[in-house]
Amino acid sequence: MSRTTARFLAGGVAVVLAATGFSGVAAADTTPAAAPTGSAVVTENNAFLASAANNGVFIVPLPNASVAYDSTTGLATTLPVTGGSINLSGFYGNATLDGSLLFVDVQTGKSVLFKQLAFSADRWRVTGVPVGGTAPVSLLKPAGTVRNSRTGTTQTLSASSLTLDTTGAQFLDSQLNTTFFTGGQAIGSFSFTFNG
């Protein structure tokens, strides 16, 4: 066998191995990336909690959301990041969040449950899909003094205020048969961390 033939054969074997995934390089390229981590923290301040309670409205976080109460800052609901891809400074992408939010009006006896929660950098909103629906509804909007930063693969966002989106307010009022919710209504504050 000539040297030229041997080179063609060796090159052909390398191409076949790469194409079929038998080479070490190809196997390394198919290793799945680690799922992103982080959380979105929605804090309802005491003024909003009191106003909602006086109107018979309650927002109940459900698993796998976690809840903590502080007499100064209010009720903090932490929604873990479970996936997605997001670029806060570029205003694009979405992060999927674990847990769900149940809105209840005890005066009307109506409720609506939002699942498939997400923070959308495209919309700059916390969104959720109501049970029985397919399209996400814009619920909450970071407002006030908003800061975002990036260190390595970790992105953070903090907002001194969190307001109710107009679309979300209209949807909630129609579903709960109430007039409590309004667009721009102050809820509390918001923070978000995304590692990935």
Side-chain angles (χ1 to χ4, degrees), residues 71-87:
S71 60
T72 304
T73 56
L75 186 72
T77 299
T78 301
L79 304 162
V81 169
T82 58
S85 176
I86 201 165
N87 185 310

Side-chain angles (χ1 to χ4, degrees), residues 30-112:
T30 60
T31 303
T37 60
S39 62
V41 181
V42 173
T43 301
E44 299 168 68
N45 62 34
N46 290 319
F48 174 77
L49 289 170
S51 176
N54 287 336
N55 285 275
V57 173
F58 297 91
I59 304 170
V60 183
L62 298 174
N64 286 315
S66 61
V67 181
Y69 178 75
D70 181 282
S71 60
T72 304
T73 56
L75 186 72
T77 299
T78 301
L79 304 162
V81 169
T82 58
S85 176
I86 201 165
N87 185 310
L88 294 175
S89 60
F91 300 100
Y92 65 86
N94 295 281
T96 55
L97 306 172
D98 203 357
S100 53
L101 296 175
L102 176 66
F103 289 74
V104 180
D105 188 320
V106 296
Q107 294 178 350
T108 64
K110 305 280 187 181
S111 65
V112 60

Side-chain angles (χ1 to χ4, degrees), residues 6-175:
R7 283 186 193 143
F8 280 129
L9 253 151
V13 168
V15 168
V16 169
L17 287 174
T20 58
F22 288 132
S23 73
V25 174
D29 289 344
T30 60
T31 303
T37 60
S39 62
V41 181
V42 173
T43 301
E44 299 168 68
N45 62 34
N46 290 319
F48 174 77
L49 289 170
S51 176
N54 287 336
N55 285 275
V57 173
F58 297 91
I59 304 170
V60 183
L62 298 174
N64 286 315
S66 61
V67 181
Y69 178 75
D70 181 282
S71 60
T72 304
T73 56
L75 186 72
T77 299
T78 301
L79 304 162
V81 169
T82 58
S85 176
I86 201 165
N87 185 310
L88 294 175
S89 60
F91 300 100
Y92 65 86
N94 295 281
T96 55
L97 306 172
D98 203 357
S100 53
L101 296 175
L102 176 66
F103 289 74
V104 180
D105 188 320
V106 296
Q107 294 178 350
T108 64
K110 305 280 187 181
S111 65
V112 60
L113 176 64
F114 290 94
K115 301 184 98 174
Q116 298 176 40
L117 301 176
F119 179 67
S120 169
D122 301 333
R123 298 183 187 185
W124 208 247
R125 304 282 191 278
V126 174
T127 65
V129 177
V131 169
T134 56
V137 175
S138 293
L139 296 171
L140 303 168
K141 175 185 178 182
T145 303
V146 179
R147 294 187 174 91
N148 68 63
S149 64
R150 181 173 198 140
T151 304
T153 59
T154 302
Q155 300 176 73
T156 58
L157 166 72
S158 66
S160 63
S161 179
L162 184 66
T163 61
L164 190 61
D165 183 80
T166 301
T167 302
Q170 292 169 350
F171 184 86
L172 287 165
D173 276 344
S174 69
Q175 294 295 305

